[in-house]
Amino acid sequence: MNLLQHPWMPVRRRDGLRDWVAPGMLSDPDVVAFDAARADFNGALMQFAIGLLQSVSPADTHSAWSRLFRQAPDLATLAAWFDPVLPAFEFDGEGARFMQDFSLKPEEAGLNSIAALLIESPGENALRNNSDHFVKRGRVECLCPDCAALALFTLQTNAPSGGVGYRTGLRGGGPLTTLLLSGTPQSLWQDLWLNVQPRALHLESCGNAGLNLPHHRFPWLADITVTQPGQETAPVQVHPDHIFWATPRRIRLNMDGLMSGKCDICGRTSDRLIRQFYAKNYGLNYKGAWLHPLSPYYSNKGEWLPMHPQPGGIGYRHWLGWVLGVSDGKEQLRPARTVVSALDGTRSRQVGPSLRLWAFGYDMDNMKARCWYESSLPLYGLADCNPDALRTLTGSAGGWLAGARLAVQALRNAVKDAWFGGDARGDFSAVDISFWGATERAFFLQLHHCIEALRLDPLAEPDTLELRQRWQAQLQHAAYQLFDQQFVGAGPVERQHPRRVAEARRRLGYALCDEKLLTALRLPIPEKTARSRRKAMPAQP
């Protein structure tokens, strides 16, 4: 079974039906999206296909990239692209196998249930302590080869920590991935190609393009001691293509004793169900300045580190850092390289007026998967804005978000004061989540307004005083409404402390129009007298 020739990728066709295709069919205009049985599999399929196309594409220049964006290659052309790398994508057999350890012997490895390939499966401690309360054991006992290939790639790509010597991926465990999608439904090919760089640009990014042996690109084609002769693997030791094919885990599927039946994930019947795999610790140990093109990064003490999903999900508070970047002294965020390229003037004319940012990934707590998050954030006509307009938008959106962060902090403090008084501890994340959700629509409406204005006139200043005042009013309204109707006012009266509630609400009002918040929103600051402060107070809803 070769993954470049076998129809193992679940897709959705334009008529809504699910089908399974080989990678050569990815340019079929009738294929509109991946359609796996699991959300993390869909994210993995996108990364597999993007990595594959980036590894074989002959498009060296922006003009060559643009021609292939407008006119997808046919089946014969893709087959010619794939032919040189076919040996790297053999999934079974005695020799090298896709993303499986070349030399792992059964006698030196532990035998695991195939369910352990799934990131959320309970680990050994959970099974031993009988603590698998929410994700139960025994749900998955056998996988068809198609789902096993998907599970294997998903694990190697996300690779959370798994105990002593069980390595994380080159982006750490459970990385955040941000991909560009077409704003209007077109074809899967265009969504994939949006995230592929011209070959020359890719080769200059991260890695050593002078290393051309097969295992420099696909590490499973050689013994681990050849791929990693020392204790660590750094970008300079591998080809740039390696960044899509990292194998931090030493795994080899047990292809003996295959059985017939239904796959526990896709439900299809197969006569080659896989039940177990061999695993051993101390796989490739990724260290150094790895910069993956599909992930945003943040600066920590001068070092750029990949971002990971956090509790609370994905929303508009992430838009600026993941799309345009942030550099304000307090924090530095860098968008994924594919996002930066799409907003570059050379390519932006080809991608159309409307794009979306699809962000997804696991929120991991070491080995434990707490949640899978994914969300689609609008970019509107951002690709049509010139660099000056983007800088204007960065400053405006940064001010809106700074004001929103101060407002949500004020609301959280007010709720704590009303409930407990003093310095209460605990998880108040529900307050933050509710506030961000309540103000999201207003943020994107004014963002859309500003982008459209800057598209028409790059020198425009759409972030007017009136707009910023309106945004402050939205923040105030959301904070008061959540305080009064959801968190404090909705509680039983007999359990309330009226004086404490009133004082907490009064302090909330002060915080929502104090100097710090007004400065963040670039609003006029009244004189600091008791009378002027009362005048600045918003009318109580």
Side-chain angles (χ1 to χ4, degrees):
M1 173 177 160
N2 190 290
L3 297 182
L4 300 186
Q5 299 173 326
H6 175 75
W8 65 284
M9 308 176 85
V11 298
R12 185 172 70 253
R13 294 194 172 273
R14 199 168 298 278
D15 59 7
L17 296 179
R18 177 184 287 177
D19 194 7
W20 278 260
V21 302
M25 295 294 291
L26 292 176
S27 60
D28 185 344
D30 191 47
V31 174
V32 296
F34 287 116
D35 193 22
R38 291 168 53 105
D40 59 341
F41 281 9
N42 282 326
L45 281 165
M46 287 292 291
Q47 293 180 80
F48 174 93
I50 292 166
L52 174 62
L53 293 173
Q54 187 70 81
S55 299
V56 302
S57 164
D60 278 339
T61 63
H62 290 290
S63 58
W65 181 93
S66 299
R67 286 194 296 271
L68 289 165
F69 182 78
R70 294 191 302 267
Q71 182 61 51
D74 58 21
L75 182 61
T77 300
L78 285 181
W81 289 9
F82 298 157
D83 188 64
V85 299
L86 279 175
F89 290 86
E90 291 292 343
F91 185 66
D92 48 18
E94 296 301 320
R97 300 179 187 170
F98 173 75
M99 285 212 155
Q100 299 172 60
D101 192 281
F102 182 84
S103 56
L104 188 62
K105 306 300 182 185
E107 58 270 17
E108 65 181 16
L111 194 59
N112 300 268
S113 166
I114 197 68
L117 286 182
L118 304 175
I119 290 175
E120 80 282 4
S121 291
E124 292 181 6
N125 284 337
L127 296 177
R128 184 166 50 250
N129 298 329
N130 197 32
S131 60
D132 51 329
H133 301 301
F134 299 105
V135 180
K136 296 290 187 182
R137 72 190 81 184
R139 299 175 305 112
V140 175
E141 296 182 350
C142 52
L143 298 181
C144 67
D146 299 353
C147 288
L150 259 175
L152 177 63
F153 181 79
T154 304
L155 177 61
Q156 295 280 28
T157 300
N158 292 284
S161 60
V164 177
Y166 285 91
R167 312 293 192 192
T168 60
L170 56 80
R171 292 179 284 173
L176 172 73
T177 300
T178 56
L179 303 179
L180 291 168
L181 302 179
S182 301
T184 54
Q186 297 185 46
S187 67
L188 177 59
W189 171 262
Q190 289 198 330
D191 284 342
L192 294 173
W193 199 245
L194 279 171
N195 298 281
V196 174
Q197 307 288 301
R199 183 70 176 166
L201 184 62
H202 166 63
L203 293 178
E204 296 172 356
S205 57
C206 184
N208 186 348
L211 299 176
N212 289 313
L213 293 178
H215 69 271
H216 290 139
R217 303 172 69 196
F218 307 106
W220 55 89
L221 294 180
D223 188 280
I224 188 172
T225 58
V226 175
T227 304
Q228 181 177 273
Q231 300 298 315
E232 299 177 351
T233 298
V236 71
Q237 298 172 252
V238 297
H239 188 276
D241 290 347
H242 183 110
I243 204 166
F244 294 102
W245 310 111
T247 52
R249 299 294 184 88
R250 300 186 67 185
I251 290 172
R252 195 165 180 88
L253 299 180
N254 181 11
M255 302 303 249
D256 297 328
L258 302 181
M259 59 179 292
S260 299
K262 287 188 176 182
C263 172
D264 286 332
I265 288 184
C266 70
R268 294 183 300 162
T269 300
S270 172
D271 58 0
R272 303 185 69 227
L273 293 178
I274 304 170
R275 298 175 59 87
Q276 296 174 317
F277 69 93
Y278 296 101
K280 183 177 174 60
N281 54 1
Y282 298 107
L284 294 184
N285 187 19
Y286 292 100
K287 300 292 183 180
W290 291 96
L291 291 175
H292 198 285
L294 304 181
S295 285
Y297 281 72
Y298 69 97
S299 178
N300 181 30
K301 298 179 181 178
E303 182 181 4
W304 287 100
L305 302 175
M307 300 193 72
H308 297 76
Q310 297 296 319
I314 296 169
Y316 79 85
R317 65 191 183 278
H318 303 114
W319 188 94
L320 182 61
W322 297 356
V323 175
L324 296 176
V326 173
S327 181
D328 61 5
K330 294 183 179 179
E331 64 175 351
Q332 288 185 303
L333 306 178
R334 177 188 292 174
R337 192 167 69 245
T338 51
V339 176
V340 175
S341 296
L343 301 182
D344 178 77
T346 309
R347 289 180 60 182
S348 61
R349 291 185 294 273
Q350 305 295 331
V351 301
S354 183
L355 294 174
R356 291 177 292 133
L357 188 78
W358 180 25
F360 57 83
Y362 273 105
D363 169 20
M364 301 296 303
D365 178 15
N366 291 321
M367 297 179 242
K368 299 177 183 178
R370 291 183 292 203
C371 190
W372 167 266
Y373 288 119
E374 67 174 285
S375 185
S376 178
L377 305 178
L379 302 187
Y380 303 115
L382 201 61
D384 290 339
C385 295
N386 68 21
D388 290 335
L390 294 180
R391 281 191 288 272
T392 299
L393 186 64
T394 299
S396 298
W400 306 339
L401 290 171
R405 283 191 287 268
L406 291 170
V408 74
Q409 180 183 3
L411 174 62
R412 190 190 321 118
N413 290 337
V415 170
K416 286 196 292 185
D417 289 346
W419 280 351
F420 307 108
D423 185 19
R425 295 184 178 183
D427 183 5
F428 291 86
S429 59
V431 177
D432 295 40
I433 294 170
S434 297
F435 180 85
W436 292 117
T439 52
E440 184 168 81
R441 183 174 182 273
F443 175 86
F444 282 123
L445 283 174
Q446 66 187 32
L447 179 69
H448 189 198
H449 164 77
C450 286
I451 291 175
E452 289 302 305
L454 289 168
R455 283 180 63 200
L456 298 175
D457 180 7
L459 300 178
E461 294 186 6
D463 187 15
T464 61
L465 175 62
E466 180 184 359
L467 184 143
R468 297 193 297 275
Q469 289 174 331
R470 192 160 61 242
W471 177 238
Q472 183 197 18
Q474 291 284 351
L475 300 178
Q476 292 171 342
H477 175 74
Y480 278 126
Q481 187 175 50
L482 290 170
F483 184 93
D484 291 341
Q485 300 180 20
Q486 183 167 328
F487 291 110
V488 178
V493 174
E494 63 273 14
R495 296 186 180 180
Q496 302 259 355
H497 190 301
R499 183 182 182 87
R500 193 168 64 204
V501 169
E503 289 179 350
R505 196 178 192 279
R506 179 170 55 84
R507 285 192 293 270
L508 173 62
Y510 289 155
L512 291 172
C513 60
D514 70 1
E515 182 176 345
K516 196 173 181 180
L517 188 142
L518 295 176
T519 300
L521 296 178
R522 293 188 293 123
L523 291 174
I525 301 174
E527 294 181 9
K528 293 182 178 179
T529 64
R531 179 175 299 178
S532 64
R533 192 172 192 182
R534 283 195 298 271
K535 289 181 179 179
M537 284 282 291
Q540 302 294 300

